Amino acid sequence: MLSIVVIISILLIYQPYQTYQLETIEAALASTVELPCSVNQNIEPTNPAKIIWIRDDRADIVSLDSVITVRDRRLSIQTRTSIDREERVLRITNIEEQDHGLYRCVYGDITLNEILLDVLIPPRIISHSPEDMSLTVREGQDARFSCTASGRPTPVIVWQVNGLSRPTMITTIAGTNESILILRNASRFDSGRVDCSATNSLSTVNRQFLLHVKYKPTVTVPFHLSYFRLYDSTTITCRACAVPSPTIFDFFRPKHVEPIEHGIKDKFDEFINQTCRQLTITFYFSDPSFFGPYVCRARNSVGVSHAEFVLKELVQSTKHLKHITEHQPSTTPSIVTSTLSSVITNNDDSPERHIQYSYKSNTVVTGINAQTNRALQLSTSFLLLIGLLFITSRC
């Protein structure tokens, strides 16, 4: 019974040295850290020994009491002694990534302390695809980007396309911290910046890609039907947007290969922006054959597109107005003039279409000849004279 009590007492005395808790100390690169270790001087080990620091993952003895045993000027031992305790603090300056690991402080056969030195490392993007930071695909194809990042703590990778997050299109490969972004069925609106950002508690690092989505031209004209008179002039514009820029861009007659040449007074081609061109022409309708259907056609390496429009002839009308005039015999001619003028203007999203026609008709009514009037007056006087003579003879 006495022997059992002695064994329990010994276990209680040595318990603080036989049980210890793993401690984790975080340190950033280029910083300085101190790893503490102390021993109670009132406890004498069976075989007196010195305090030793050991790097477990390398099986290196770093120090023997207050002496550094490895060739590294960044390491030193800070000795601190008190009445009941003796300390050997391992100091590491200008922390490097290789300093990460498990350190143990032992005293004889007793482990006094065990510390995991966690060296914090800012994130780094160690590989990416495409390597030249630029990707070109056709509209409707998939666009694939990837980033692999390292750091401690493990960085979180976030993707953005033109400033917007696309989380549903991201895949992370476990164990490598590689993140893949796949834009399914890429459209022209995806063209622009694709950002890969890796972030941990220390900082954020970014890689910026450029995505170019090629698409065939989109061709537009402001109107599709317009009326003009023969010998009129008009200006027509056509806009084509595409990536890459159209190699063919001109006005054609349907089913014709060559651009139109006749009837054009002026032509002007300009770039509106990096993807859009505008072509402006001025037509002069000197011949009726210039009226009819036309197309504005644009072609690039992806495809060809066109927009149709029709120029129709406005035929002048010959309406007649009937004027009914009443007049009395007069020695002065009477002239009646009537004028009809009408202008129709169509205001819509297309360029102005003007239909203008005018009609003038003049009607001249001539009065009764003055000589005829005088003959009528003489006849009337003669008849009155005969009547008077007849009445006188009866009496």
Side-chain angles (χ1 to χ4, degrees):
M1 185 67 179
L2 181 60
S3 61
I4 294 175
V5 173
V6 172
I7 293 173
I8 294 175
S9 299
I10 294 174
L11 291 174
L12 291 174
I13 293 174
Y14 285 98
Q15 185 71 16
Y17 297 98
Q18 293 174 344
T19 61
Y20 52 86
Q21 197 170 22
L22 178 64
E23 181 182 0
T24 300
I25 296 179
E26 294 182 345
L29 286 176
S31 64
T32 298
V33 67
E34 292 185 348
L35 309 182
C37 179
S38 63
V39 62
N40 191 338
Q41 291 184 345
N42 295 329
I43 300 178
E44 294 290 340
T46 306
N47 298 315
K50 297 183 177 181
I51 298 176
I52 300 174
W53 274 103
I54 300 174
R55 175 81 179 265
D56 265 14
D57 54 344
R58 296 183 183 178
D60 289 339
I61 296 178
V62 177
S63 69
L64 183 59
D65 201 22
S66 59
V67 179
I68 297 295
T69 58
V70 295
R71 294 182 179 180
D72 194 335
R73 295 182 178 180
R74 301 178 301 114
L75 306 181
S76 62
I77 295 295
Q78 306 294 315
T79 302
R80 300 166 188 170
T81 304
S82 62
I83 298 175
D84 58 345
R85 304 195 70 81
E86 186 175 359
E87 294 187 24
R88 297 291 185 270
V89 178
L90 176 61
R91 184 176 186 182
I92 308 174
T93 60
N94 193 22
I95 293 290
E96 298 176 357
E97 184 177 353
Q98 63 187 16
D99 295 327
H100 176 85
L102 186 64
Y103 294 80
R104 283 194 308 125
C105 177
V106 298
Y107 183 64
D109 56 353
I110 301 172
T111 298
L112 301 176
N113 204 0
E114 193 171 37
I115 299 174
L116 174 62
L117 178 59
D118 189 7
V119 178
L120 302 182
I121 303 173
R124 290 179 295 178
I125 296 179
I126 56 178
S127 66
H128 53 77
S129 176
E131 294 184 357
D132 61 356
M133 313 300 293
S134 179
L135 179 64
T136 301
V137 298
R138 287 193 177 192
E139 192 169 37
Q141 293 180 336
D142 294 346
R144 185 182 187 277
F145 301 87
S146 70
C147 275
T148 302
S150 66
R152 191 178 295 114
T154 301
V156 176
I157 298 177
V158 176
W159 291 91
Q160 286 188 328
V161 179
N162 293 320
L164 300 176
S165 298
R166 309 287 282 270
T168 58
M169 303 178 180
I170 298 172
T171 301
T172 301
I173 299 178
T176 62
N177 203 34
E178 179 183 5
S179 181
I180 299 174
L181 170 68
I182 300 179
L183 296 177
R184 304 288 185 187
N185 193 27
S187 75
R188 65 194 66 182
F189 304 106
D190 292 323
S191 295
R193 288 176 43 183
V194 178
D195 293 288
C196 167
S197 300
T199 303
N200 68 5
S201 58
L202 295 180
S203 62
T204 298
V205 65
N206 181 73
R207 287 291 182 274
Q208 185 180 107
F209 303 90
L210 289 179
L211 174 62
H212 304 278
V213 179
K214 299 192 299 183
Y215 56 94
K216 71 178 184 179
T218 300
V219 184
T220 57
V221 291
F223 60 90
H224 297 282
L225 176 64
S226 186
Y227 290 84
F228 301 95
R229 296 180 301 180
L230 190 62
Y231 306 116
D232 275 352
S233 294
T234 185
T235 299
I236 299 173
T237 60
C238 176
R239 180 171 296 188
C241 299
V243 175
S245 181
T247 54
I248 296 177
F249 183 36
D250 216 324
F251 290 93
F252 299 80
R253 296 305 292 261
K255 299 181 181 180
H256 284 67
V257 178
E258 298 298 327
I260 59 174
E261 297 180 358
H262 302 292
I264 296 179
K265 293 175 59 177
D266 190 22
K267 180 186 291 187
F268 181 66
D269 189 353
E270 62 179 333
F271 279 90
I272 304 300
N273 50 45
Q274 292 181 346
T275 60
C276 295
R277 290 171 61 185
Q278 181 167 290
L279 183 61
T280 304
I281 62 172
T282 301
F283 270 113
Y284 175 60
F285 300 101
S286 60
D287 190 274
S289 64
F290 294 157
F291 294 104
Y294 290 84
V295 294
C296 178
R297 186 184 306 158
R299 178 193 298 272
N300 65 1
S301 60
V302 181
V304 59
S305 298
H306 69 273
E308 300 180 355
F309 60 97
V310 180
L311 305 178
K312 285 193 173 182
E313 183 180 5
L314 175 64
V315 181
Q316 295 182 352
S317 62
T318 55
K319 296 181 180 179
H320 297 280
L321 296 180
K322 295 182 179 180
H323 298 273
I324 301 176
T325 60
E326 294 181 4
H327 58 273
Q328 294 180 353
S330 173
T331 60
T332 304
S334 175
I335 301 176
V336 180
T337 303
S338 66
T339 303
L340 173 64
S341 177
S342 176
V343 178
I344 301 176
T345 304
N346 181 18
N347 293 321
D348 55 11
D349 294 336
S350 62
E352 295 180 352
R353 294 161 37 188
H354 299 285
I355 305 174
Q356 181 175 354
Y357 59 89
S358 63
Y359 170 75
K360 295 182 179 180
S361 85
N362 298 323
T363 304
V364 179
V365 179
T366 307
I368 301 174
N369 191 283
Q371 294 181 355
T372 305
N373 291 338
R374 284 194 294 271
L376 182 60
Q377 291 175 359
L378 290 174
S379 299
T380 304
S381 300
F382 180 74
L383 291 175
L384 289 175
L385 179 59
I386 293 175
L388 290 173
L389 290 175
F390 176 75
I391 295 172
T392 304
S393 63
R394 293 288 300 269
C395 296

